[in-house]
Amino acid sequence: MSQHASKTIKGETGEWEIVIGMEVHAQVLSKAKLFSGASTEFGAEPNSHVSFVDAAMPGMLPVINRFCVEQAVKTGLGLKAQINNRSVFDRKNYFYPDLPQGYQISQFKNPIVGEGEILLDMKDGETIRVGIERLHLEQDAGKSLHDQHPDMSFVDLNRSGTALMEIVSKPHMRSSEEAAAFLKKLRAIVRYLGTCDGNMDEGSMRADVNVSVCKPGGYEKFRETGSFKHLGTRCEIKNVNSMRFVQMAVEYEARRQVEIIEGGGTIKQETRLYDSKLNETRSMRSKEEAHDYRYFPDPDLLPLELEQAWVDSLKASLPELPDEKKARFIKDFGISAYDAGVLVGEKELADFYEELARGVDAKAAANWLNNEVLGRLNRDGLGITQSPVSASANNAIIRMMGDGTISGKLAKDLLDIVWSEGGDPVQIVEQRGMKQVTDTSAIEKAVEAVIAANPDKVEEIKAKPKLAGWFVGQVMKQTGGKANPAAVNAVLKARLNLPDEG
């Protein structure tokens, strides 16, 4: 892993460093809520999935959902983090219309998961380690709706009590690209684990992004001493719901802070909102500190104690995660680290590639998937699981291309046919006469026809042998793309006495 290079932005008075930390709220993939049996199904009618516990009716007591605990532990293990066998639930006190209890059950000093890490593979080849400070379980609040009536706000409690994992990073990110990469990698990990669906457009994963700026060298002093005094005052950008918006929000906020400081002002520690339409952050409120919430242990819940044998059994049951899968792809398939990193970014894409690459050239399979399959999916607005052509059908096309049955051009034409019409690629090649022509006599006839039709080009090619490519193209047209290009090249060179290096 390379050293984390210093990254700066230029202001009027010089260079500035950006320092970024993140708090990600990931909704636990569970059919029931954290402390009640109410459904967590998305998109239901307002207030249709609300138990007496969720609505904070008098006398209702929370009962922990064991499966949600299991999901949190699995996520911690996936983050290579310390699992705390004893953790405590606390009451976080604040008042808002969508919080029926007047407090949120969360974890403060004793979270279920301690320190871990995430490795980021950047486009320039640099691998960056971002530390995880903690992961704690908490219940979600409801949702206030301010656009349903001109004079009133409505409250939907369907989300109230849903289990959340708050995953807190250390301030180890140094650019907007790293912040977006962190969120993308974290989403990939929880999706591989099956602990959160990561659907940011449904609100099941959202990020609070902490941004500060400091003079060059401040970050290194922070890493050496652990003292936050070397960093600038941070502002928190609340509830950002896409990787692109994270990147845009960080860039805007860093510039805003630099301009204020260079103009003689000071940064107020506050919570801000990112407006994607205007591409700006706006102040929401001053930033609360822990003491503002008056945390204390929830008297209705005993400390959560985990048996190490149970934690070990969960660890043994973990699926292959992105980093391990990437290493295996590099080792077993011989593809580049960059290609492997792209392919393991989504579990479904990695699974598709593994079936696609079975028994064929792995690099050719990666290129085919990235250029041909993903290109068409992007064009049609589809995901990999919606591909009209299965991985096995693509594998058959690559096999025929590899053994010379069809040319590269015919392979693309074949993919288009199967894409729009369906069917077995092998049968389609047989039925439509798409096999590549390797018969030398047939190719010789096509070459002679092209030579006869272009006598002026024949003289040019003798002077400039590199023009052979033009002749090959004409022969391919003459044969409807069915001629083997290598065979055409060989026949053409022999016919016109061209040197091999031409």
Side-chain angles (χ1 to χ4, degrees):
M1 191 172 2
S2 64
Q3 290 294 316
H4 196 165
S6 177
K7 295 177 172 63
T8 61
I9 59 173
K10 189 170 182 60
E12 293 292 331
T13 62
E15 301 289 329
W16 295 83
E17 294 182 334
I18 310 175
V19 182
I20 306 159
M22 206 175 293
E23 299 164 11
V24 179
H25 291 86
Q27 183 176 314
V28 174
L29 201 56
S30 167
K31 292 181 179 179
K33 297 181 180 180
L34 184 56
F35 298 115
S36 81
S39 172
T40 59
E41 183 185 3
F42 178 79
E45 286 296 312
N47 297 307
S48 60
H49 291 164
V50 186
S51 74
F52 289 143
V53 173
D54 307 323
M57 291 298 174
M60 295 297 104
L61 297 176
V63 178
I64 190 74
N65 181 334
R66 177 189 173 97
F67 182 70
C68 291
V69 174
E70 179 179 317
Q71 294 285 67
V73 172
K74 285 171 65 176
T75 303
L77 292 168
L79 297 173
K80 303 178 180 65
Q82 170 66 39
I83 306 301
N84 297 323
N85 288 356
R86 186 180 189 278
S87 60
V88 175
F89 283 99
D90 300 280
R91 290 188 180 181
K92 179 181 181 181
N93 295 274
Y94 65 96
F95 298 94
Y96 207 72
D98 59 19
L99 192 67
Q101 295 157 310
Y103 61 84
Q104 178 187 33
I105 301 177
S106 183
Q107 294 184 309
F108 181 43
K109 290 185 178 179
N110 299 286
I112 191 169
V113 175
E115 293 191 355
E117 67 176 20
I118 286 181
L119 301 181
L120 309 182
D121 298 315
M122 306 306 294
K123 287 183 179 179
D124 61 4
E126 186 179 15
T127 299
I128 295 165
R129 177 190 177 276
V130 176
I132 297 296
E133 181 70 38
R134 57 188 277 143
L135 177 157
H136 63 259
L137 273 170
E138 64 184 22
Q139 59 179 180
D140 205 350
K143 184 177 183 180
S144 294
L145 305 170
H146 306 295
D147 57 355
Q148 307 293 307
H149 191 280
D151 302 318
M152 294 184 290
S153 291
F154 294 165
V155 174
D156 179 7
L157 294 180
N158 278 349
R159 206 169 65 185
S160 177
T162 299
L164 296 179
M165 298 177 288
E166 182 168 343
I167 302 161
V168 183
S169 86
K170 295 190 176 183
H172 288 173
M173 290 163 274
R174 311 293 307 288
S175 69
S176 60
E177 292 82 7
E178 289 176 22
F182 173 83
L183 191 56
K184 183 176 182 180
K185 184 64 171 287
L186 177 57
R187 187 176 69 162
I189 291 171
V190 295
R191 282 180 162 177
Y192 269 75
L193 290 166
T195 57
C196 173
D197 62 23
N199 291 335
M200 301 186 75
D201 55 342
E202 295 180 1
S204 58
M205 194 171 193
R206 48 196 192 269
D208 299 340
V209 188
N210 291 290
V211 180
S212 66
V213 296
C214 60
K215 281 294 188 180
Y219 177 79
E220 289 306 319
K221 290 178 181 176
F222 158 72
R223 292 301 298 266
E224 290 170 6
T225 65
S227 174
F228 284 90
K229 72 179 182 180
H230 299 295
L231 305 180
T233 301
R234 64 187 171 92
C235 291
E236 180 184 52
I237 309 167
K238 200 77 174 169
N239 289 334
V240 188
N241 64 355
S242 81
M243 267 75 76
R244 186 168 68 92
F245 289 165
V246 163
Q247 195 163 340
M248 293 167 68
V250 167
E251 289 172 3
Y252 175 87
E253 179 61 20
R255 289 284 177 194
R256 184 190 74 87
Q257 292 185 21
V258 167
E259 288 174 9
I260 289 173
I261 297 169
E262 290 186 329
T266 57
I267 303 301
K268 295 184 297 182
Q269 186 168 322
E270 61 181 353
T271 299
R272 299 180 68 83
L273 177 72
Y274 176 66
D275 186 328
S276 59
K277 293 179 180 177
L278 298 177
N279 187 30
E280 66 180 22
T281 63
R282 294 198 302 271
S283 180
M284 290 175 64
R285 59 181 182 267
S286 60
K287 174 64 178 171
E288 298 89 346
E289 300 293 347
H291 63 261
D292 294 325
Y293 291 116
R294 295 178 291 113
Y295 281 98
F296 63 87
D298 192 302
D300 293 333
L301 289 161
L302 292 171
L304 184 62
E305 297 191 355
L306 311 178
E307 293 181 357
Q308 186 59 44
W310 181 69
V311 174
D312 291 341
S313 69
L314 290 180
K315 186 174 183 179
S317 71
L318 292 183
E320 185 180 44
L321 293 172
D323 288 342
E324 290 73 32
K325 192 178 288 287
K326 176 186 173 184
R328 179 170 64 81
F329 277 16
I330 294 171
K331 179 176 180 292
D332 292 353
F333 294 127
I335 59 178
S336 70
Y338 176 79
D339 282 343
V342 170
L343 292 170
V344 304
E346 295 285 349
K347 183 179 184 300
E348 294 80 7
L349 181 63
D351 292 342
F352 194 98
Y353 172 72
E354 286 214 70
E355 187 174 352
L356 173 70
R358 192 169 294 132
V360 301
D361 180 82
K363 180 62 178 176
N367 288 339
W368 180 263
L369 176 56
N370 287 330
N371 298 327
E372 304 304 329
V373 179
L374 293 184
R376 287 166 174 78
L377 289 174
N378 290 336
R379 178 197 67 196
D380 296 345
L382 300 174
I384 191 66
T385 57
Q386 301 167 303
S387 175
V389 183
S390 67
S392 59
N394 276 286
N395 176 273
I397 294 173
I398 295 172
R399 283 179 183 273
M400 289 188 285
M401 187 166 49
D403 64 19
T405 301
I406 56 177
S407 66
K409 180 186 180 303
L410 287 173
K412 295 175 184 178
D413 293 342
L414 177 59
L415 178 59
D416 285 331
I417 293 170
V418 183
W419 196 275
S420 58
E421 302 175 19
D424 179 356
V426 176
Q427 291 181 4
I428 290 171
V429 168
E430 290 287 346
Q431 293 166 356
R432 304 197 183 189
M434 297 177 72
K435 283 189 176 180
Q436 189 168 232
V437 176
T438 55
D439 177 25
T440 306
S441 62
I443 292 174
E444 286 174 347
K445 287 180 182 178
V447 168
E448 290 297 339
V450 172
I451 289 175
N454 299 277
D456 53 334
K457 291 286 186 182
V458 173
E459 295 305 314
E460 282 187 52
I461 195 174
K462 289 179 179 178
K464 298 178 181 179
K466 289 185 178 180
L467 287 175
W470 182 87
F471 269 90
V472 172
Q474 294 303 305
V475 175
M476 294 302 291
K477 285 183 181 179
Q478 182 86 5
T479 60
K482 295 180 182 179
N484 182 301
V488 172
N489 213 27
V491 169
L492 188 66
K493 285 181 179 180
R495 174 68 177 76
L496 298 178
N497 296 315
L498 300 177
D500 288 339
E501 63 269 23

